């Protein structure tokens, strides 16, 4: 288990959580500050006081591309999941349609139709418009309505307030949680705390309520407030347990605060003893969010020094990380070590090993492992087939690759565009290009811009400009506009292979689309146009001379002498 790597010393902890009371509504500040004084063990790294970058996607979905193979994979698709089935948006996901929603008498659809106008209406007029919809609120319908309006936080909040004011109706805990989650997505945390205050007055606040705020603060890249919200559980007489602490760590790691989460588990080891589960969360962050091999090896060695025994999740997470980073020997060593420790590898581990085998072009070993997957009772998934097909294409075994593609389709998997791109990269002739396009359309996989660029480039490398020109025209049928790279590719090919008319068409289209042209291309076309005009004048001059000579012979009866000189008149 030992991976000899330099340990990174932890920085000092100087910011106590009780120093940050300003983000809670005034009614809560006293209670939270008092609880902070009772439990000062929560600390925060000083770097959190710096400016935190803003990301458009709150939950970072890491994608990675192997530099030497070009195969694109997605970290969330094959990386190990977070422990405990952690999800961050479980409160606003769409659920199956309810029969009440389709009931015309409920006014559900009428409410949806007027929500776009609620922004411009005063509160009283908006309330009147909602009253006239004939919508009879129930907890189930209100919650579904909020889920439909989750991307319009202002309209959702107005509908929520209006429904809460209706007679014979009161919000349930689930409805409150949905609204708080939506407000958190739109970073309306003050309104969210206002709803929590109302829930507290009605004794409705539970641990899940604060967990929603913790996840939303972390997603908004405010780790300081996420940790302080966790600390505020004492105010509501909610004793945080190890599962709640793990949820806090998961929220931080999912949103790139892995170093801060790692420091928390060490600083709070008296309250929450160090265990495999907490280290697994940190491993998940370094492995799947950052794919940082250095930090993974450091943490793995630290676990060994602290006598923290890795479990199957630990091995799966690290093996997947090393596979993404292309660490062939590390993957093989941990794979063997995992089996020796008595842990059964799952399909993710097998896929990770097949991937590094594909990078090393180990065809025989990859095929043997593919067969072993079935012997172990697992069914290969689309990722397994993708890695294996790419390996066969890369080692110039197209027939075997096609056979596994057929098996993949027979088992009900839809080939992705990455699989077809693997074929396009290693096809040997122009006939295979047409075959691949036909197969793509048969299986319902639409080509992308990259597909056309790849195909046109291969055709140009074979000097097959007829098919390249056909592909160029086919792009317009599928609503793709050719970019400058394709135009340059075709332009050079047409000029070098004596196809001036096609090159001229490509040149004109580049001018119309406003592409910046290299000076040498402009000069090339200027010289070509001058030469074409000169050739045209010569042709016209030759035609005019021949026409004049015919007229002279017809009307004068003369013809030039063989030796030259002045023509003479023919004698009868």
């Amino acid at each position: 288990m030992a991976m000899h790597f330099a340990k990174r010393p932890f920085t000092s902890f100087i910011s106590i959580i009780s120093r940050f009371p300003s983000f809670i509504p005034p009614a809560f500040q006293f209670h939270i500050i008092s609880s902070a004084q009772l439990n000062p063990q929560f600390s925060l790294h000083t770097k959190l006081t710096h400016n935190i970058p803003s990301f458009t996607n709150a939950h970072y979905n890491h994608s990675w591309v192997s530099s030497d193979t070009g195969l694109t994979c997605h970290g969330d698709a094959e990386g190990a999941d977070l422990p405990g089935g952690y999800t961050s948006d479980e409160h606003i996901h769409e659920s199956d349609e309810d029969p009440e929603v389709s009931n015309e008498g409920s006014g559900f659809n009428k409410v949806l139709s007027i929500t776009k106008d609620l922004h411009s209406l005063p509160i009283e007029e908006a309330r009147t418009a909602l009253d006239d919809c004939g919508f009879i609120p129930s907890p189930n319908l209100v919650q579904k309505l909020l889920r439909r309006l989750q991307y319009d936080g202002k309209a959702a909040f107005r509908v929520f307030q209006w429904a809460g004011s209706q007679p014979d109706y009161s919000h349930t805990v689930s409805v409150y949680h949905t609204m708080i989650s939506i407000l958190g997505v739109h970073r309306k945390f003050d309104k969210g705390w206002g709803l929590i205050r109302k829930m507290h007055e009605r004794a409705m606040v539970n641990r899940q309520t604060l967990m929603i705020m913790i996840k939303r603060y972390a997603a908004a890249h405010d780790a300081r407030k996420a940790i302080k919200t966790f600390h505020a559980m004492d105010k509501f007489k909610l004793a945080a347990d190890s599962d709640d602490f793990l949820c806090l760590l998961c929220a931080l790691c999912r949103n790139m605060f892995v170093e801060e989460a790692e420091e928390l588990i060490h600083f709070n080891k008296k309250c929450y003893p160090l265990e495999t589960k907490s280290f697994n969360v940190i491993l998940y962050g370094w492995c799947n969010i950052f794919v940082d091999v250095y930090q993974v090896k450091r943490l793995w060695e630290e676990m060994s020094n602290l006598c923290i025994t890795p479990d199957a999740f630990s091995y799966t997470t690290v093996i997947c990380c090393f596979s993404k980073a292309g660490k062939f020997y590390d993957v093989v060593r941990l794979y063997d070590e995992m089996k020796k420790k008595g842990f059964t590898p799952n399909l993710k581990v097998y896929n990770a090993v097949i991937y590094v085998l594909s990078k090393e072009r180990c065809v025989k070993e990859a095929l043997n492992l593919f067969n072993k997957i079935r012997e172990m009772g697992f069914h290969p998934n689309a990722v397994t087939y993708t890695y294996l097909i790419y390996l066969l294409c890369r080692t110039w075994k197209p027939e075997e690759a096609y056979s596994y593609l057929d098996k993949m389709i027979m088992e009900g998997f839809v080939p992705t565009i990455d699989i077809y791109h693997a074929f396009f990269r290693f096809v040997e002739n122009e006939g295979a290009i047409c075959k691949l396009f036909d197969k793509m359309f048969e299986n319902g996989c639409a080509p992308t811009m990259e597909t056309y660029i790849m195909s046109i480039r291969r055709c140009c490398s074979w000097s097959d400009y007829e098919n390249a020109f056909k592909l160029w025209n086919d792009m317009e049928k599928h609503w793709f506009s050719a970019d400058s790279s394709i135009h340059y590719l075709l332009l050079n090919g047409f000029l070098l292979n004596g196809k001036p008319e096609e090159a001229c068409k490509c040149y004109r289209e580049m001018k119309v689309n406003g592409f910046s042209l290299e000076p040498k291309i402009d000069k090339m076309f200027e010289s070509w146009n001058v030469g074409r005009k000169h050739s045209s004048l010569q042709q016209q001059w030759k035609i005019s001379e021949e026409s004049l000579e015919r007229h002279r012979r017809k009307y004068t009866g003369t013809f030039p002498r063989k030796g030259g000189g002045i023509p003479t008149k023919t004698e009868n």
Side-chain angles (χ1 to χ4, degrees):
M1 170 178 166
M3 291 185 187
H4 299 289
F5 227 77
K7 292 183 65 177
R8 176 182 60 84
F10 285 106
T11 55
S12 59
F13 300 84
I14 62 172
S15 298
I16 303 302
I17 194 68
S18 60
R19 299 178 186 176
F20 306 97
S22 58
F23 82 103
I24 302 294
F28 282 61
Q29 288 184 12
F30 172 78
H31 300 285
I32 292 177
I33 294 174
S34 62
S35 61
Q37 295 169 350
L38 293 174
N39 295 284
Q41 64 267 28
F42 283 92
S43 179
L44 201 57
H45 192 275
T46 55
K47 68 182 286 187
L48 291 182
T49 60
H50 299 170
N51 292 329
I52 299 173
S54 177
F55 295 88
T56 55
N57 185 4
H59 301 288
Y60 181 67
N61 185 5
H62 177 76
S63 63
W64 49 277
V65 182
S66 173
S67 58
D68 58 342
T69 63
L71 181 60
T72 303
C73 303
H74 299 281
D76 285 353
E78 271 303 299
D81 296 324
L82 275 167
Y86 167 83
T87 57
S88 58
D89 291 328
E90 65 272 20
H91 304 289
I92 58 174
H93 281 169
E94 277 289 350
S95 59
D96 296 334
E97 193 61 73
D98 193 274
E100 286 185 84
V101 174
S102 59
N103 183 8
E104 295 182 0
S106 66
F108 186 90
N109 294 326
K110 293 182 180 178
V111 173
L112 288 177
S113 64
I114 68 167
T115 51
K116 60 183 180 180
D117 299 326
L118 292 180
H119 298 288
S120 58
L121 295 176
I123 296 178
E124 293 300 327
E125 293 184 16
R127 184 170 299 176
T128 303
L130 290 171
D131 288 335
D132 295 339
C133 287
F135 177 72
I136 303 175
S138 67
N140 184 34
L141 284 177
V142 171
Q143 190 165 6
K144 290 182 179 296
L145 190 59
L146 293 178
R147 286 169 177 164
R148 293 284 187 88
L149 299 173
Q150 60 181 289
Y151 301 110
D152 189 349
K154 187 174 181 180
F157 191 63
R158 284 201 171 185
V159 170
F160 174 85
Q161 288 180 314
W162 170 81
S165 65
Q166 298 303 300
D168 300 327
Y169 171 80
S170 59
H171 293 308
T172 61
V173 174
S174 181
V175 175
Y176 270 112
H177 285 175
T178 301
M179 190 66 246
I180 292 171
S181 185
I182 294 173
L183 291 172
V185 169
H186 295 277
R187 304 193 179 194
K188 302 296 182 181
F189 293 107
D190 290 339
K191 291 182 179 180
W193 281 111
L195 295 184
I196 293 176
R197 183 174 64 251
K198 291 182 180 179
M199 293 179 68
H200 182 57
E201 293 171 355
R202 302 174 186 179
M204 299 173 70
V205 176
N206 56 29
R207 290 151 68 182
Q208 188 182 16
T209 309
L210 296 184
M211 285 299 114
I212 295 172
M213 293 296 286
I214 288 172
K215 294 172 186 178
R216 291 299 171 226
Y217 273 124
H221 297 279
D222 197 336
R224 176 172 61 89
K225 293 181 181 178
I227 296 174
K228 191 167 184 180
T229 303
F230 177 85
H231 192 54
M233 294 181 72
D234 291 341
K235 144 71 179 115
F236 302 99
K237 299 180 180 180
L238 300 171
D241 56 14
S242 58
D243 290 338
D244 298 326
F245 186 63
L246 283 177
C247 187
L248 170 65
L249 297 178
C250 289
L252 294 175
C253 288
R254 284 289 300 227
N255 295 280
M256 306 179 73
F257 294 105
V258 183
E259 186 176 355
E260 289 73 22
E262 185 176 344
E263 292 175 351
L264 279 177
I265 66 173
H266 286 280
F267 196 74
N268 297 281
K269 59 184 178 182
K270 292 183 178 179
C271 296
Y272 305 101
L274 301 177
E275 58 179 355
T276 305
K277 285 184 179 180
S278 56
F279 274 94
N280 281 346
V281 177
I282 310 303
L283 276 176
Y284 173 89
W286 290 127
C287 290
N288 291 283
I289 306 302
F290 290 104
V291 196
D292 192 329
V293 174
Y294 176 90
Q295 297 292 352
V296 172
K297 289 185 176 182
R298 177 196 57 78
L299 187 63
W300 193 264
E301 183 180 0
E302 186 175 332
M303 290 173 65
S304 177
N305 296 335
L306 293 172
C307 299
I308 304 295
T309 305
D311 56 10
F313 179 89
S314 310
Y315 278 102
T316 301
T317 305
V318 176
I319 288 174
C320 290
C321 174
F322 287 166
S323 175
K324 295 175 187 179
K327 303 296 181 180
F328 175 78
Y329 294 106
D330 289 331
V331 170
V332 173
R333 185 181 70 251
L334 284 178
Y335 173 73
D336 293 336
E337 183 180 313
M338 181 180 186
K339 292 191 296 182
K340 290 178 181 178
K341 292 283 184 72
F343 299 117
T344 303
N346 57 17
L347 186 58
K348 291 179 181 178
V349 173
Y350 286 121
N351 286 346
V353 177
I354 289 177
Y355 177 74
V356 293
L357 289 174
S358 69
K359 290 193 67 175
E360 297 295 325
R361 306 193 181 199
C362 302
V363 180
K364 183 179 179 181
E365 291 79 4
L367 291 174
N368 290 337
L369 188 59
F370 181 84
N371 296 327
K372 186 178 180 180
I373 291 176
R374 295 188 179 277
E375 294 175 2
M376 296 296 294
F378 296 108
H379 295 285
N381 58 12
V383 178
T384 317
Y385 279 105
T386 301
Y387 294 163
L388 191 61
I389 290 172
Y390 196 91
L391 170 61
L392 294 172
C393 289
R394 195 180 179 207
T395 53
W396 303 102
K397 298 180 183 296
E399 297 302 326
E400 294 184 40
Y402 275 117
S403 66
Y404 279 99
L405 178 62
D406 294 335
K407 290 179 183 179
M408 179 182 183
I409 296 172
M410 288 177 60
E411 292 190 11
F413 297 111
V414 179
T416 62
I417 194 65
D418 287 332
I419 293 180
Y420 290 106
H421 286 176
F423 285 102
F424 279 114
R425 283 189 181 94
F426 301 104
V427 289
E428 297 179 342
N429 52 62
E430 56 270 22
I433 293 283
C434 301
K435 180 181 177 182
L436 279 172
F437 267 95
D438 292 339
K439 205 169 188 66
M440 283 180 64
F441 289 118
E442 287 176 6
N443 296 323
C445 184
T448 63
M449 190 66 181
E450 185 182 357
T451 312
Y452 282 106
I453 294 175
M454 201 179 303
S455 304
I456 292 174
R457 183 178 289 115
R458 296 310 301 273
C459 288
C460 290
S461 66
W462 299 319
S463 298
D464 182 17
Y465 291 97
E466 182 178 355
N467 281 327
F469 203 66
K470 288 180 180 178
L471 288 171
W472 186 39
N473 291 328
D474 190 62
M475 290 175 61
E476 299 178 358
K477 298 178 182 178
H478 294 90
W479 304 99
F480 287 109
S481 57
D483 60 1
S484 58
S485 61
I486 294 183
H487 281 91
Y488 276 120
L489 194 65
L490 288 170
L491 186 61
N492 290 325
F494 290 146
L495 290 175
L496 293 174
N497 288 269
K499 295 184 178 293
E501 298 301 328
E502 290 84 349
C504 189
K505 177 183 177 182
C506 185
Y507 180 78
R508 284 197 300 267
E509 187 167 326
M510 292 180 76
K511 284 286 190 181
V512 171
N513 292 331
F515 295 134
S516 59
L517 297 174
E518 297 179 4
K520 62 180 181 180
I521 294 180
D522 284 327
K523 291 180 180 179
M524 189 184 301
F525 266 93
E526 287 176 5
S527 61
W528 179 73
N529 282 326
V530 170
R532 186 180 62 171
K533 291 177 181 178
H534 181 68
S535 176
S536 177
L537 288 174
Q538 284 184 331
Q539 186 70 18
Q540 292 177 7
W541 179 257
K542 183 178 179 181
I543 291 173
S544 63
E545 282 188 332
E546 291 177 354
S547 176
L548 181 61
E549 186 64 30
R550 284 196 301 269
H551 283 288
R552 185 182 297 146
R553 287 198 299 267
K554 181 176 180 180
Y555 294 107
T556 64
T558 62
F559 55 89
R561 294 182 178 182
K562 291 183 179 180
I566 300 174
T568 58
K569 187 175 181 179
T570 58
E571 297 179 357
N572 294 328

